[in-house]
């Protein structure tokens, strides 16, 4: 079984946050793959699907971002899922909005969700880094990631999630570069080849 994890914070007040793009990605995958309903399980919400011919578990931890590893470790232990079969979707400040990169292992770059998963599981899982851009000032990072996507950003967010969901079978088969390029081509076709970051402070 493969494990696809979307990182975010639970609750309606966080639903539209930039920090929750991982949840948005996994929800898009669930829709595209006709997954079963999300149910409370493994300290989160989990749904099953078939992706790339394999059984897959889609997981949205509800432990809050800083404790994401607890939910991931519980699901992996229960289903005996190897680290190499875990895919984690998360927001990435160091990538331009709408850009996506796939990497295996590495540091957490200050991302508390990744830090927690690595602490519980080790580092060699697949990370799908979903670019949200940087506010330009380190002091504003916290309010930026916990701020909602602006209306002007909704188009590329939906296009990115849709593109990765429609091509997710390639990722499941280990074709990381092909998956990445197909998703970027789909974004360009949708008119989101180059997205300007939102550098203004989010409105209250």
């Amino acid at each position: 079984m493969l494990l696809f994890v979307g990182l975010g914070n639970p609750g309606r007040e966080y639903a539209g946050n930039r920090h929750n793009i991982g949840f948005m990605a996994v929800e898009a995958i669930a829709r595209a793959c006709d997954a079963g309903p999300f149910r409370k399980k493994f300290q989160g919400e989990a749904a099953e699907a078939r992706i790339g011919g394999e059984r897959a578990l889609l997981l949205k931890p509800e432990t809050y971002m800083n404790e994401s590893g607890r939910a991931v470790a519980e699901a992996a232990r229960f289903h005996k899922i190897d680290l190499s079969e875990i895919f984690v979707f998360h927001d990435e400040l160091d990538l331009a909005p709408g850009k996506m990169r796939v990497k295996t292992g590495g540091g957490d770059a200050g991302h508390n969700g990744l830090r927690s998963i690595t602490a519980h599981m080790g580092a060699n899982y697949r990370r799908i880094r979903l670019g949200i851009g940087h506010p330009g000032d380190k002091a504003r990072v916290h309010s930026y990631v916990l701020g909602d996507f602006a209306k002007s950003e909704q188009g590329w967010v939906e296009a990115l999630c849709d593109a990765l969901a429609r091509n997710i079978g390639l990722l499941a088969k280990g074709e990381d570069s092909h998956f990445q390029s197909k998703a970027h081509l789909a974004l360009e076709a949708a008119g989101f080849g180059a997205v300007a970051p939102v550098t203004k402070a989010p409105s209250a």
Side-chain angles (χ1 to χ4, degrees):
M1 180 177 269
L2 307 176
L3 177 57
F4 293 85
V5 181
L7 296 186
N9 286 309
R12 190 174 298 174
E13 67 270 35
Y14 297 106
N17 287 183
R18 294 182 181 89
H19 218 20
N20 272 40
I21 195 171
F23 275 13
M24 298 171 198
V26 164
E27 287 162 0
I29 294 166
R31 290 191 296 271
C33 298
D34 293 322
F38 280 96
R39 301 184 190 283
K40 300 283 186 187
K41 205 170 187 182
F42 308 124
Q43 301 182 61
E45 291 190 348
E48 290 197 24
R50 288 200 73 81
I51 297 176
E54 300 276 349
R55 281 182 69 214
L57 184 73
L58 308 178
L59 177 67
K60 297 185 294 178
E62 291 200 311
T63 49
Y64 289 94
M65 187 68 83
N66 294 5
E67 297 290 343
S68 299
R70 284 173 27 211
V72 176
E74 186 175 323
R77 277 197 307 269
F78 182 87
H79 286 291
K80 298 180 173 60
I81 299 171
D82 189 77
L83 206 53
S84 64
E85 297 172 323
I86 298 175
F87 306 80
V88 178
F89 296 80
H90 67 91
D91 57 304
E92 177 59 71
L93 285 160
D94 294 330
L95 281 179
K99 296 298 180 186
M100 178 179 68
R101 295 286 183 273
V102 182
K103 65 176 286 191
T104 301
D108 54 52
H111 195 290
N112 290 332
L114 298 181
R115 181 180 294 129
S116 177
I117 294 170
T118 297
H120 282 267
M121 303 286 299
N124 288 326
Y125 51 91
R126 219 90 55 91
R127 298 107 185 275
I128 298 81
R129 304 162 63 212
L130 308 174
I132 61 169
H134 196 286
D137 179 355
K138 192 174 180 180
R140 285 181 36 225
V141 163
H142 183 76
S143 61
Y144 179 76
V145 298
L146 291 179
D148 286 357
F149 282 110
K151 281 187 179 178
S152 62
E153 297 177 282
Q154 294 296 335
W156 71 256
V157 173
E158 290 173 12
L160 175 60
C161 290
D162 180 64
L164 67 85
R166 284 191 285 110
N167 293 287
I168 197 65
L170 296 170
L171 187 66
K173 293 173 184 174
E175 298 179 31
D176 297 5
S177 296
H178 194 191
F179 165 73
Q180 198 170 276
S181 61
K182 287 275 281 188
H184 281 147
L185 285 171
L187 271 166
E188 287 176 10
F192 297 104
V195 182
V198 173
T199 54
K200 286 194 315 181
S203 56

